[in-house]
Each structure stands twice: as structure tokens, then as C-alpha cells.
Amino acid sequence: MKKVIFPLLGVLVSVSLGAQTLQTAYFSDDYTYSYRLNPAFHPEYSFVGLPFAGLTSGAYKGDFALNDIFYKNGKERVTFMNESVASAKFLDNFKSGINKINLESYTNLAAVGFEAGGLYNIVDVNMRNYASGKLPYDLARFLKDGASTDGTYDLSGLKVHSTTFFELGITSSWKTTRKLTLGMRFKGVIGFVNSYIDMDRMTINHAGDNWTVSSTGVIASAYDGYRIASLPAYYDPDVPLIDFHRTKVGKPRGIMNGYGVGADVGILFDDSSWQLSASISDIGCVFWFHNFYGHSPSEAKTYTATYPKHQRGDALEREFTDMGVLLGDAANFIMEDEYQTLGLLPLTVRLGAKYLYLSDISFGGIATFRYDDVCPFWDVRGSVSYLPMKHVELIGSVGVGTLGVSMGAFANAKLGFVNIFAGTDNLIGTSGTAFLRSTSGAPNFVAGVNIIW
């Protein structure tokens, strides 16, 4: 897109796709990155994580599936804004109230794990992104029909947060007794991007060529690659509005737009037949420098606008551009000076139990609660682990949570000096309003290859 109206469009429809940590892998005895789930866990070998290939994960949970946004029109991939997608077909995928989404991604850039001084130690560098949102039903209706259909659209309660940061972690675990293991992980955080939009109230009325917008809310982003343009407000030439049409996104001047610290703690009790465990992850915060910040005007604004269809580029580019023009004209924010804020990391609590039924079969259960200031969620999952042969482990799971029912699978194998693993929490599962909905619209995966010895 030539005219990028960030961070509004970026926050709303381009939050990066990614993953919650794979819950199905919680009871794997040889999962290299089990310390991410509980720092008291660690593999029974030393390892080196290959850059990017060591661990890549991605997941999405929401009240609608991603294939409710993107469609096939012949051989071409299009968005819901394409004329080939009927309005009723698109809107039937959304709840009448607030629709929730959760996304998270995790990429291991480098890692090394080794035993020294009676401790198992891990040093790693990761890139993480997480996003969550509350999207009113009328947002979908406005994006689909707002440019062409008269009516009133209530976007009150719209809230989307997205964060990307780099993490340097140091993990140690040790046995305090023969059966009890403790683990701690400390991490430094370098914040790259933090964007959010919070609309307490937003009503849009479309009548012919006239639009009346009444809203109370804020928009902000910490990313020094923005080239922010402004224009005078319609009702007050001395008050600058953010001009989304001329605001550009370029390369960042630097990598740090925030900094912070965090910690994970965990405990494991293992008496051979039973394992009981608990952990708390992401205890910490990040201090952000928002160079892009604005609040909506306090009084209603009426203006005239037209939305020409863009002809250049492929279908996805044209439709995202049109979507950006629509959002950019409807959402007006008064530009303010730079803004600093303290944001919490997404605190996650896990409680687990595992029973070794036979030498090659075990049963487990895990309860997960993730606190998020936009969309907190919980998940309770049962699992069965099976070792068909030495150094090969297969795990299946069934879970139920805030956003429905799902089934997961995980496989881990040690082949000489190589460890390979792959899995998903959503082999069959919900991503929205339908029970056991197709996973094609709800990606969820973890995979990696590491050197071990």
C-alpha cells in the first residue's frame, strides 16, 4: 500500500499472526523448550538452538476464524471487502456483541542449554509478539457496508493492543531434594513496537455524503519509524488532527522504543509415578516511549467524504487500501506530544499433574490462565503420552477454554545429535462460534530442530 494509515489499520487488521506456548507439549519429557512452560522443567541433555529453526510457533484464538476475513475468488485471494463476498455471508461469522481475539508469536533467535555447578542453565534470545482485541460487531458491518450503506454504526468498546519485543533470558533449575525441583528465569526486554487503540465510545452515522462521528478514545504507538502528518481540525484550525492518509511508516531509526524486565518461576514435584507442577510466567513490565499519540475530539464532527476504489495493485492491496481510507476518515484524533507508559507483560499461571500409568504410557492434565488487560483467557487440557520406541514421544490432548473446545497433538524425536519436534493445540478445534470448527482459519503450531548432546 502506498498510503499506509498506521497505527489504526495496523492495529485493527494487521496485528501479527503468531502463538501461545503449546500446552500439549507440557508433559513431554524431552521437549527442548519445556522451560518456557515451567522453568523447573528442562531436557535431559545439553542443546544448541539453531537460529530461527530452533523454535518457531504461531497461534490464533478468536470468536471468528481467519478464513472469515480472507476468501478465494477463483484463483485470487481476496478480503471480505471484495464485491464477490456477500455481506450476509461475511457478517454471519460474527457475534452480535463484542468479538474477542488473542494472538501470540514466539521465535527463538539463539539458545544454549547446559548443566554446570549442579544447575541446568539456559541462555536464550527471542523475539515475541502478542496481540489481543475486542471488536464490536458493528466494526465488521462498518468495514463491509459503511462506505456504501446509510446507517448508524456503534463501535463503542473497540479495543486492540499489539506488542513486539526482544527478550534475553537466563534460566536455572536445580533439585532441592530428590523429588523437588525449583526453577527461575530472569529476562531483560527491549521493546520494539507497542500499539493500541481504546475507544470508550464511538458512533458513526452515514447519511448520503454526510458523516457524523462522535467518539471518546485514544490511539498510540511506540515505533520511531512513523512519519506523522497532521491537518487542522474541521471545527478548530488551531487543533491539529492526525492525517492518516499522509502518515507514513518507514524503517525504524533504532531498535529500542521501550525497555523492561521480567521473570518466570516454577516448581516440580516428581516421585516417579506422579508429577505435580506449577509455574507463573511473565512477571514483569515494559516502559514504552510512544511517539505517536492522540485522543479523539470531545464533540461530534460532521463532514463530507467519498471513497474512490483504488485500482492499482492486487486485490488484497486494493482492498486493504480502501479499508484504510474508510477507517482513516472515520477515526479522527487530535495529535499530542510524546507519551510514556508502563505496560505489564501477559502474566500466565499454569498448574499441572501427570501420572505414569505404564513405562510407555502416561496421563496428564494442565490448567492455564493468561491475564491480559484486553482479553484474558483460560484453558483446561487433558493429555495422553505414548512412547512407541526409544527416543520417540507422541502426545494427544483435548482442551476446553474461554474460546471453545480443541484437540492437540505433539511429536518429539531424538535422532543422534538432532532433536526434532512439531505440534499443535488445534489439530481439530474451535476458532469461533461453531463447535469443533475447521482449523484452517485458526492456525496454531510449534516446530523446531536443535543440536543436542
Side-chain angles (χ1 to χ4, degrees), residues 34-369:
S34 58
Y35 68 91
R36 292 180 54 217
L37 296 151
N38 185 329
F41 294 170
H42 62 78
E44 298 299 324
Y45 48 76
S46 300
F47 74 93
V48 172
L50 301 176
F52 296 99
L55 172 66
T56 299
S57 62
Y60 166 80
K61 286 180 176 291
D63 284 323
F64 56 90
L66 295 183
N67 54 4
D68 296 331
I69 305 297
F70 299 96
Y71 295 81
K72 290 281 288 192
N73 183 18
K75 295 182 179 180
E76 192 176 36
R77 178 69 68 175
V78 299
T79 73
F80 62 88
M81 295 187 70
N82 193 274
E83 295 176 354
S84 66
V85 180
S87 179
K89 177 181 178 181
F90 167 65
L91 294 175
D92 282 348
N93 299 314
F94 297 85
K95 297 195 303 184
S96 59
I98 295 292
N99 293 265
K100 298 179 181 179
I101 57 171
N102 279 108
L103 307 94
E104 187 175 353
S105 64
Y106 191 109
T107 301
N108 178 234
L109 304 179
V112 58
F114 58 94
E115 190 168 357
L119 306 176
Y120 191 92
N121 307 286
I122 301 168
V123 179
D124 61 348
V125 180
N126 313 285
M127 181 174 68
R128 294 179 58 184
N129 176 281
Y130 59 90
S132 55
K134 292 181 177 179
L135 312 180
Y137 173 81
D138 270 14
L139 174 64
R141 195 167 67 90
F142 174 68
L143 291 175
K144 179 61 178 173
D145 299 328
S148 58
T149 305
D150 289 356
T152 299
Y153 304 89
D154 185 2
L155 276 59
S156 300
L158 171 63
K159 181 178 290 191
V160 184
H161 290 198
S162 180
T163 298
T164 300
F165 60 87
F166 295 91
E167 172 188 86
L168 170 62
I170 300 175
T171 306
S172 292
S173 58
W174 64 96
K175 284 185 174 292
T176 58
T177 66
R178 184 176 63 86
K179 298 182 179 181
L180 190 65
T181 302
L182 300 179
M184 299 192 70
R185 184 170 186 241
F186 297 98
K187 44 200 174 187
V189 174
I190 297 176
F192 186 54
V193 181
N194 176 251
S195 299
Y196 64 87
I197 178 171
D198 290 347
M199 302 304 300
D200 295 328
R201 177 179 57 86
M202 186 174 186
T203 303
I204 303 171
N205 181 265
H206 181 197
D209 290 334
N210 294 320
W211 297 74
T212 301
V213 180
S214 178
S215 61
T216 302
V218 296
I219 189 171
S221 188
Y223 176 73
D224 62 9
Y226 288 121
R227 312 295 183 263
I228 305 170
S230 65
L231 51 78
Y234 290 89
Y235 57 88
D236 187 348
D238 296 326
V239 179
L241 286 179
I242 297 173
D243 182 358
F244 289 107
H245 298 292
R246 295 189 299 120
T247 293
K248 304 293 183 180
V249 179
K251 293 182 179 179
R253 298 183 181 91
I255 195 173
M256 188 172 76
N257 297 297
Y259 60 88
V261 293
D264 305 342
V265 295
I267 186 171
L268 169 65
F269 176 81
D270 187 350
D271 74 346
S272 298
S273 295
W274 277 96
Q275 286 185 359
L276 301 176
S277 56
S279 68
I280 304 176
S281 302
D282 288 326
I283 308 167
C285 57
V286 183
F287 188 79
W288 291 100
F289 307 97
H290 292 89
N291 61 306
F292 190 120
Y293 184 75
H295 71 271
S296 58
S298 59
E299 53 189 84
K301 182 179 73 68
T302 300
Y303 65 96
T304 300
T306 58
Y307 297 95
K309 291 291 183 179
H310 291 77
Q311 301 302 318
R312 299 181 62 183
D314 59 21
L316 286 177
E317 182 178 4
R318 294 195 307 270
E319 289 156 20
F320 273 112
T321 300
D322 291 339
M323 193 187 309
V325 173
L326 184 63
L327 287 170
D329 278 356
N332 289 279
F333 295 88
I334 298 174
M335 188 163 57
E336 296 187 3
D337 294 332
E338 293 185 0
Y339 173 74
Q340 289 79 44
T341 187
L342 192 66
L344 297 177
L345 294 175
L347 185 76
T348 304
V349 178
R350 296 182 179 90
L351 300 174
K354 180 179 178 180
Y355 174 64
L356 183 63
Y357 180 67
L358 297 172
S359 60
D360 56 355
I361 298 177
S362 61
F363 299 93
I366 176 177
T368 303
F369 174 75

Side-chain angles (χ1 to χ4, degrees), residues 406-435:
S406 61
M407 297 178 63
F410 179 77
N412 188 87
K414 292 187 294 183
L415 308 172
F417 292 98
V418 177
N419 172 240
I420 303 174
F421 58 86
T424 176
D425 281 337
N426 209 16
L427 183 66
I428 300 175
T430 57
S431 58
T433 56
F435 182 74

